[in-house]
Amino acid sequence: MDIRVHSYESMGTFDGPGLRLVVFLQGCNFRCLYCANPDTIAIKEGNITQPDEIVRMAVNQKAFFGKRGGITFSGGEPTMQAKALIPLFKELKENGIHICVDTNGSIWNDDVKELFQLTDLVLLDVKEFNNQHHQELTKHNNQQTLLTAEWLEKQQKPFWIRYVLVPGYSDFEEDIQAMGEHFRNYQMIERVEILPYHSLGVHKYEAMGQEYLLKGVKENTPEQLEQAAQLFRRYFKTVYIN
């Protein structure tokens, strides 16, 4: 089954442990106001790719992965193509490739469950813990994301939480504290990553003839990032500013 790919990044260091081949897939069900890759949203775009081509790239780069690296599927939202990815993941596992999936956790069906079973590490993007704030930020509720985290915990599947700190949208102290209380007893959360807000994708909106809705939002100061990190460290042992 063909896979729709937006782009690749070789030797990536920001999307999972070690050096990684990052495959950015096409299609997303969220409409995050700060999305840096609006060109990945439409599912019918992207490059139609044979799974064997991705396996070949991963195997060719395997020597550089070392003990910690591997392949990461990002997007867009990878679980939109879960059915097509399952046989690809099986082939990658046969070749000893470590697999990460970067997901918003909002899509749930049997294909997604099987995909996560084949995944070594899930990078779970929790956009906001407060559901109202989450909907304002993504145009989608966060109920299934939290249920996905619960499933990962019960299945003893390691995962990281990734949190984009957007001034005025996801930097509320009470929301971070509520999130910490919710997850504080989870054993499978290996680390929390705070991702600074940036506006590097603004030019893409201009090129696509779309308005960037957070044009007036300034990027985080080091002090804001460290303050958020200190809040998260009350509840989680391993917290990084990515």
Side-chain angles (χ1 to χ4, degrees):
M1 191 178 295
D2 293 334
I3 297 166
R4 288 188 177 269
V5 175
H6 175 269
S7 57
Y8 302 92
E9 178 186 358
S10 295
M11 304 304 147
T13 58
F14 291 102
D15 297 289
L19 292 175
R20 311 194 71 81
L21 167 63
V22 185
V23 183
F24 295 94
L25 299 178
Q26 192 71 30
C28 188
N29 60 325
F30 273 20
R31 298 295 180 268
C32 298
L33 296 180
Y34 57 81
C35 180
N37 298 309
D39 45 337
T40 67
I41 292 175
I43 186 65
K44 293 184 178 180
E45 297 183 10
N47 301 303
I48 297 176
T49 306
Q50 295 289 328
D52 288 348
E53 174 65 15
I54 298 174
V55 173
R56 184 191 63 78
M57 291 177 65
V59 170
N60 285 346
Q61 296 184 27
K62 185 178 178 181
F64 300 99
F65 295 156
K67 294 181 179 180
R68 299 178 67 243
I71 188 169
T72 296
F73 291 87
S74 186
E77 173 49 47
T79 59
M80 289 187 71
Q81 300 188 60
K83 184 181 288 293
L85 289 173
I86 288 170
L88 168 59
F89 277 33
K90 289 179 178 178
E91 199 168 345
L92 289 167
K93 297 305 294 179
E94 289 174 1
N95 282 276
I97 306 292
H98 182 279
I99 303 172
C100 285
V101 173
D102 184 4
T103 176
N104 62 38
S106 68
I107 297 174
W108 197 247
N109 52 50
D110 289 342
D111 291 329
V112 173
K113 283 192 281 188
E114 184 173 356
L115 192 73
F116 285 161
Q117 293 285 12
L118 294 165
T119 301
D120 295 295
L121 176 67
V122 175
L123 311 180
L124 186 66
D125 299 306
V126 181
K127 310 293 186 179
E128 236 285 352
F129 187 76
N130 177 288
N131 193 37
Q132 180 180 339
H133 293 157
H134 189 280
Q135 292 192 58
E136 291 171 356
L137 196 59
T138 69
K139 309 306 177 188
H140 203 288
N141 71 65
N142 66 1
Q143 181 179 6
Q144 182 56 57
T145 301
L146 299 180
L147 289 173
T148 296
E150 183 179 338
W151 183 89
L152 293 170
E153 176 73 10
K154 290 179 178 178
Q155 296 293 316
Q156 297 187 308
K157 179 65 64 175
F159 68 105
W160 295 1
I161 288 179
R162 309 185 97 189
Y163 192 87
V164 181
L165 194 72
V166 187
Y169 289 86
S170 62
D171 61 346
F172 305 107
E173 183 173 341
E174 61 270 26
D175 293 354
I176 294 174
Q177 290 178 331
M179 180 174 163
E181 292 291 343
H182 179 86
F183 286 119
R184 70 183 310 160
N185 293 321
Y186 275 51
Q187 300 299 308
M188 301 312 297
I189 298 174
E190 294 187 340
R191 66 191 278 174
V192 172
E193 289 192 331
I194 301 171
L195 280 61
Y197 164 76
H198 64 77
S199 55
L200 298 178
V202 171
H203 68 283
K204 295 183 180 180
Y205 289 84
E206 296 171 350
M208 296 169 67
Q210 298 180 12
E211 181 183 4
Y212 183 69
L213 298 176
L214 298 186
K215 193 170 290 185
V217 177
K218 295 182 179 180
E219 296 184 356
N220 314 100
T221 65
E223 292 76 19
Q224 289 172 333
L225 291 167
E226 184 55 35
Q227 183 178 2
Q230 291 297 335
L231 282 173
F232 277 109
R233 288 183 183 125
R234 295 179 187 176
Y235 307 97
F236 305 100
K237 293 180 181 179
T238 308
V239 178
Y240 289 91
I241 298 172
N242 201 339

